[in-house]
């Protein structure tokens, strides 16, 4: 037990290393740009970019992931009845009866009710269990090591703004430093310390910009399609089968779900996303697909096991790690 606690403590400490690296690079860039190179002409715009980057990065890191409300947790009596029952069919029926009272439209890959044994709850649509955070996260997108946090319903907007302001920060530095890089290239920059800072500022800014550009473009595509990273890899399953576009209600409404209706707040890291993370509008919905109106017989026909939890780590980009239980 003590060894296990020690390992978890070490894991938590090491998980902050990527954040420390990013923070160190940004602080060095601030020092080099403001104190060493002293670009007074651009210092105001630079500070605007710097403040917005730091604000969005802070919000992406320290906004806790949203977890399912109590109504999705099994009550004491239901939990006792579920754990005491050894027959899988009866356990399945218990979950079906409970799920009838909840706004749930998706199923496990097997067709069963999505149930988390660790958190002892019925998973809302688009909710997944993160084995790093050790909790179920509403509208989980992925676990990002660069923010040491789960990106989901509560901070997805902040994560997107962090990517966009990171790109803006890199582009601004690269554009304003480039003229001094040309002077360095032809030998017209006499200050040796300035040479070092100009060279590495340009190199680091361009390197980060290229990697961020692909990641940001990918997430823009996900927002336009109303998909999470997990849903892009594995389509959500509805009563009629898997459907990658099940939550796609049009580009305009998809954007509004993430950024809110007030466009004046779209560029600021304040929470404006629609809903509470437990329910999301569907592209097509009729009475036969609605679990609140469907008959018990329709639920029973789907079959399947009680649990669909697959641990895995998928990397689609060096800056994104998915560590999740479905």
């Amino acid at each position: 037990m003590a060894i296990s606690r020690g390992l978890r403590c070490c894991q938590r400490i090491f998980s902050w290393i990527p954040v420390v690296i990013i923070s160190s690079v940004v602080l060095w860039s601030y020092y080099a740009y403001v104190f060493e190179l002293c670009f007074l002409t651009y210092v105001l715009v630079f500070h605007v970019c710097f403040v917005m980057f730091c604000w969005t990065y802070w919000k992406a890191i320290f906004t806790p992931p949203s977890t399912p409300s109590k109504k999705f947790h099994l009550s004491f009596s239901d939990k006792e009845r579920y754990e005491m029952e050894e027959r899988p069919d009866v356990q399945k029926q218990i979950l079906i009866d409970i799920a009838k009272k909840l706004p749930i439209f998706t199923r496990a890959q097997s067709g069963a009710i999505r149930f988390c044994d660790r958190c002892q709850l019925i998973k809302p649509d688009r909710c997944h269990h993160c084995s790093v955070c050790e909790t179920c996260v509403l509208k989980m997108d992925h676990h990002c090591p660069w923010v040491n946090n789960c990106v989901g319903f509560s901070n997805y907007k902040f994560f997107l703004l962090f990517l966009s302001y990171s790109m803006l920060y890199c582009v601004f530095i690269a554009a304003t430093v480039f003229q001094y890089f040309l002077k360095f290239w032809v030998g017209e920059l006499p200050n040796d310390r300035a040479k070092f800072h100009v060279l590495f500022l340009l190199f680091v800014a361009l390197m980060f910009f290229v990697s961020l550009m692909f990641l940001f473009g990918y997430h823009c595509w996900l927002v336009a399609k109303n998909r999470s990273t997990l849903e892009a890899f594995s389509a959500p399953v509805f009563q009629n089968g898997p459907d990658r576009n099940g939550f796609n209600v049009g580009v305009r409404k998809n954007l509004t779900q993430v950024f809110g209706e007030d466009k004046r707040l779209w560029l600021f890291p304040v929470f404006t996303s629609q809903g509470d993370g437990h329910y999301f509008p569907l592209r097509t919905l009729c009475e036969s697909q609605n679990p609140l109106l469907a008959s018990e017989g329709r639920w029973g026909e789907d079959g399947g096991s009680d649990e669909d939890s697959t641990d895995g780590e998928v990397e689609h980009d060096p800056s994104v790690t998915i560590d999740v239980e479905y």
Side-chain angles (χ1 to χ4, degrees):
M1 183 66 72
I3 296 177
S4 178
R5 282 200 296 267
L7 289 174
R8 284 199 297 270
C9 182
C10 291
Q11 184 183 13
R12 291 193 186 98
I13 293 173
F14 286 127
S15 66
W16 284 101
I17 291 178
V19 175
V20 172
I21 293 174
I22 295 295
S23 301
S24 300
V25 171
V26 171
L27 289 175
W28 165 76
S29 69
Y30 182 87
Y31 166 78
Y33 197 95
V34 176
F35 294 100
E36 289 292 338
L37 301 180
C38 299
F39 295 144
L40 297 179
T41 308
Y42 311 109
V43 71
L44 179 60
V45 179
F46 172 81
H47 276 90
V48 171
C49 296
F50 179 78
V51 168
M52 294 306 296
F53 167 82
C54 292
W55 189 9
T56 55
Y57 193 39
W58 176 275
K59 294 288 283 186
I61 294 173
F62 294 106
T63 300
S66 295
T67 56
S69 64
K70 290 183 179 180
K71 69 178 181 179
F72 288 87
H73 290 257
L74 297 188
S75 65
F76 179 79
S77 59
D78 288 332
K79 181 179 178 181
E80 188 177 50
R81 187 159 56 103
Y82 179 80
E83 291 178 345
M84 293 293 291
E85 184 56 59
E86 297 181 356
R87 292 168 295 178
D89 290 342
V90 179
Q91 284 185 326
K92 180 183 69 176
Q93 189 59 46
I94 292 173
L95 295 180
I96 288 173
D97 293 338
I98 299 172
K100 286 180 180 179
K101 307 171 186 176
L102 301 171
I104 294 174
F105 298 86
T106 56
R107 296 294 189 88
Q109 292 291 337
S110 61
I113 301 298
R114 300 194 317 131
F115 179 72
C116 180
D117 268 336
R118 295 189 181 186
C119 299
Q120 291 292 295
L121 57 82
I122 293 177
K123 297 178 185 177
D125 293 344
R126 316 185 83 174
C127 174
H128 300 276
H129 185 93
C130 177
S131 57
V132 178
C133 297
E134 298 181 344
T135 187
C136 283
V137 179
L138 294 178
K139 196 190 175 184
M140 180 177 174
D141 187 87
H142 67 281
H143 186 92
C144 180
W146 299 108
V147 300
N148 191 29
N149 197 5
C150 254
V151 177
F153 175 76
S154 62
N155 63 347
Y156 189 57
K157 176 189 174 183
F158 307 149
F159 178 74
L160 291 173
L161 290 178
F162 158 63
L163 294 180
S164 60
Y165 284 117
S166 298
M167 289 177 58
L168 181 62
Y169 186 71
C170 291
V171 168
F172 181 80
I173 288 179
T176 53
V177 168
F178 186 71
Q179 57 181 315
Y180 295 92
F181 174 76
L182 293 178
K183 291 182 180 181
F184 161 76
W185 188 261
V186 297
E188 296 180 1
L189 201 65
N191 190 328
D192 291 336
R193 292 181 64 180
K195 290 179 181 179
F196 168 80
H197 290 297
V198 165
L199 181 63
F200 279 90
L201 269 176
L202 183 64
F203 173 75
V204 172
L206 291 176
M207 180 183 67
F208 275 95
F209 171 75
V210 171
S211 60
L212 287 167
M213 179 178 62
F214 289 105
L215 183 60
F216 180 69
Y218 177 69
H219 277 279
C220 287
W221 177 78
L222 290 177
V223 171
K225 296 291 185 180
N226 205 338
R227 298 176 192 169
S228 66
T229 300
L230 294 175
E231 291 164 352
F233 280 101
S234 179
V237 179
F238 298 87
Q239 289 198 18
N240 292 337
D243 184 2
R244 291 186 186 277
N245 295 313
F247 296 105
N248 187 354
V249 291
V251 176
R252 185 171 177 275
K253 291 182 178 179
N254 294 342
L255 284 172
T256 304
Q257 280 189 29
V258 176
F259 292 97
E261 295 183 353
D262 191 348
K263 294 182 180 179
R264 295 171 298 179
L265 299 176
W266 279 21
L267 298 180
F268 295 94
V270 293
F271 185 80
T272 54
S273 300
Q274 289 184 329
D276 59 3
H278 294 86
Y279 166 78
F280 299 90
L282 302 181
R283 179 170 56 92
T284 57
L285 181 63
C286 63
E287 183 173 334
S288 62
Q289 293 173 300
N290 191 331
L292 300 178
L293 303 176
S295 65
E296 181 176 347
R298 178 59 185 269
W299 280 98
E301 289 172 1
D302 288 329
S305 61
D306 305 321
E307 181 184 359
D308 181 31
S309 57
T310 304
D311 278 326
E313 186 170 326
V314 183
E315 294 187 2
H316 77 281
D317 184 275
S319 62
V320 177
T321 299
I322 302 170
D323 198 347
V324 62
E325 293 180 6
Y326 293 91

